Amino acid sequence: MYDVVLDFLQHHWLGQGIVILLQCLAVTVPLLVAVAYMTYVDRKVWGSIQLRRGPNVVGPFGLLQPFADGLKLMLKETIVPSSANGILFLIAPIITFLTALIAWAVVPFSDGWVIANINVGILYLFAISSLGVYGVIIAGWASNSKYAFLGALRSAAQMVSYEVSIGFVLITVLLCVGSLNLNQVVLAQAGGFWHWYFLPLLPMFVIYFVSALAETNRTPFDLPMSEAELVQGFQTEYSSMPFALFFLGEYANMILLSALGSVLFLGGWMAPLPFLPSHAGWGVLWFALKIAFLLFVFSWTKGTLPRYRYDQLMRLGWKVFLPVSLFWVVLTAAVLQFGGWVPKG
Amino acid sequence: MVLQALAFYLFAAVTIASGAMVVVSRNPVYSVLFLILAFFNAAGLFVLIGAEFVAMILVIVYVGAVAVLFLFVVMMLDINLAKIREGFREFLPVGTAIAIVLIVEMLWAVGVIGTRSPTVEAFNKAGPHVATIDNTRAIGQLLYTQYFYLFQVAGAVLLVAMIGAIVLTLRSRPGVRRQKVGEQLYRSKADAISVVKVPSRGGV
């Protein structure tokens, strides 16, 4: 019986389809739960920073708050402004949500636990994350509202600027690994936390994290949604489910960038000490802990730092991060070449 | 195999259809969005022939950067498409001629007509075989050895274009107040704050 089922799943096209579907569900469902609880953790962390309690009414410790919020959003009426471009107005949040989800196809959760173990995994992630900007810019244009449009322009300019430095950060890591495959990136950092890349590439790790904040429009770079000037930026005209999709997409993007950060710099699913197990389920545990740590830093910055001014933001991206990361690419290449550490592919 | 063929026809059909929509659609923003769709499906075609590196670079460079700038410009400018369309019939023969030249070149390059072009032959001879090596590495090995000078020249051309764009748009306007970040950072408490003893009824 068992053999028959296994054979069907492995060789019949329908069985293979079912397996792929189950794999996708196994990634997306925990991801969406993580997104829901990320909103809860965010509010709890800010609450603690501001000496408040945060959500504590719905369910024990307020644990059911995210579901209450989700339900509330779902039951609201979807309003499409009469002057908006109907089709694009509804496509925009779908693009944001979809790009945040499909990127997870190449993220390795444990040794070999990945939906698509492709050779150009890093480039795929970079390509998909560069698509997120379309959701924003289309939303801003289709809303046909000044606030939304200005917010979208700011956001798009910001995302495009900081992508450049993220690109250079990726290149330095690639130089050290010698492969574009994300599983190889993790394997290259095997053997305890002192082998992880955040130590030799510390400046790049900092640049990566700050750029990730800018990519996801989080404080101190949340200019696209600065309430005092632009109401809610490109989301101003959105309500109900389309708004919820934007919201989910943004949080999923944050988790994605944290995951990428932990793969590139914190050893992905590797255990912090060499004698600890990091196979199968253990790998998922270490990976989740690292992501949770980076997400905590996301909330922490939001609770601590004031907002940047627009010109300061652009100056930081183009005049500080770009030259520094470019210099670091050249330096890393030189050190690898002349130190004899060029990875053999 | 059937699935691959289906995927090919899907990607190819959508590429051509969206390419046509780029030219036909009345709203320039729609044109750019269809252009993006065309890029995407072209990337899908590259993946199908096993050129995943080219596919990813196509998405990163064209969809992620170039098309965003197109979209920016098109959204900001108030383009009157009817005015642009006026010269359509006038330029139709020129456009058709260019299209025909391009098609003939492409057919010649892949060897459908005439003999195979020398570059393709050279590539096949020189290149590391794709079956034994992943194609990111293969492209790197070719670009930095056989085509090194061409690669450098391409880089130089891009640099010149970049400097040209900066020179064309750089202008110094009088009377613009700029944020001088260095000065702002070097301000200390001593030169920013002064404590004044104000005599009562006297004012400052």
Side-chain angles (χ1 to χ4, degrees), chain B residues 168-188:
Chain B
L168 282 177
T169 51
L170 187 71
R171 55 195 168 129
S172 55
R173 283 172 295 180
V176 176
R177 288 154 148 263
R178 286 187 185 284
Q179 302 276 353
K180 289 175 187 140
V181 178
E183 273 177 29
Q184 290 174 3
L185 291 177
Y186 278 113
R187 255 156 65 106
S188 63

Side-chain angles (χ1 to χ4, degrees), chain A residues 94-174:
Chain A
I94 298 175
I95 293 178
T96 307
F97 186 61
L98 210 64
T99 51
L101 286 190
I102 56 175
W104 285 88
V106 296
V107 175
F109 292 93
S110 184
D111 198 3
W113 286 24
V114 49
I115 295 181
N117 192 11
I118 58 175
N119 280 329
V120 286
I122 293 184
L123 287 181
Y124 174 82
L125 272 185
F126 193 52
I128 297 298
S129 74
S130 69
L131 296 180
V133 67
Y134 283 108
V136 172
I137 198 168
I138 291 174
W141 185 78
S143 299
N144 207 353
S145 140
K146 291 187 184 73
Y147 295 124
F149 189 57
L150 286 175
L153 285 183
R154 275 190 186 182
S155 174
Q158 175 177 334
M159 286 162 106
V160 170
S161 314
Y162 280 83
E163 229 151 59
V164 183
S165 45
I166 286 196
F168 281 122
V169 172
L170 294 183
I171 291 174
T172 39
V173 176
L174 297 187

Side-chain angles (χ1 to χ4, degrees), chain B residues 87-101:
Chain B
F88 185 69
R89 193 155 294 176
E90 206 175 311
F91 291 111
L92 191 62
V94 184
T96 320
I98 293 174
I100 290 173
V101 168

Side-chain angles (χ1 to χ4, degrees), chain A residues 217-276:
Chain A
N217 296 332
R218 289 278 290 198
T219 329
F221 307 111
D222 59 343
L223 291 129
M225 288 179 226
S226 49
E227 304 87 354
E229 306 151 35
L230 292 176
V231 190
Q232 184 65 318
F234 60 90
Q235 296 175 349
T236 305
E237 306 294 335
Y238 282 88
S239 60
S240 178
M241 255 347 249
F243 176 79
L245 283 183
F246 265 126
F247 203 72
L248 291 174
E250 266 175 21
Y251 271 87
N253 251 331
M254 259 163 54
I255 300 179
L256 177 73
L257 284 172
S258 305
L260 185 60
S262 49
V263 165
L264 295 178
F265 294 102
L266 300 177
W269 40 263
M270 286 289 173
L273 295 168
F275 56 83
L276 292 173

Side-chain angles (χ1 to χ4, degrees), chain B residues 77-95:
Chain B
L77 298 179
D78 191 19
I79 298 174
N80 188 352
L81 221 63
K83 218 169 198 174
I84 301 173
R85 287 273 162 82
E86 271 174 9
F88 185 69
R89 193 155 294 176
E90 206 175 311
F91 291 111
L92 191 62
V94 184

Side-chain angles (χ1 to χ4, degrees), chain A residues 85 87-88 118-120 123-124 126-128 130-131 133-134 137-138 141 149 152-153 156-157 160 163 178-180 309 311-312 315 344-345, chain B residues 27 29-30 33 36 40 52-53 56-57 59-60 62-69 71-72 74-76 134-137 179 181-182 184-185:
Chain A
N85 185 323
I87 302 168
L88 289 180
I118 58 175
N119 280 329
V120 286
L123 287 181
Y124 174 82
F126 193 52
I128 297 298
S130 69
L131 296 180
V133 67
Y134 283 108
I137 198 168
I138 291 174
W141 185 78
F149 189 57
L153 285 183
V160 170
E163 229 151 59
S179 169
L180 289 162
R309 218 170 46 210
D311 64 303
Q312 292 171 326
R315 179 176 165 274
K344 286 186 268 299
Chain B
N27 190 334
V29 173
Y30 287 167
L33 292 177
I36 294 162
F40 237 111
E52 70 258 12
F53 181 77
M56 292 304 146
I57 293 295
V59 174
I60 292 171
Y62 283 92
V63 181
V66 174
V68 174
L69 297 181
L71 208 53
F72 253 49
V74 167
M75 282 178 177
M76 302 261 257
D134 63 272
N135 65 55
T136 313
R137 214 173 287 276
Q179 302 276 353
V181 178
Q184 290 174 3
L185 291 177

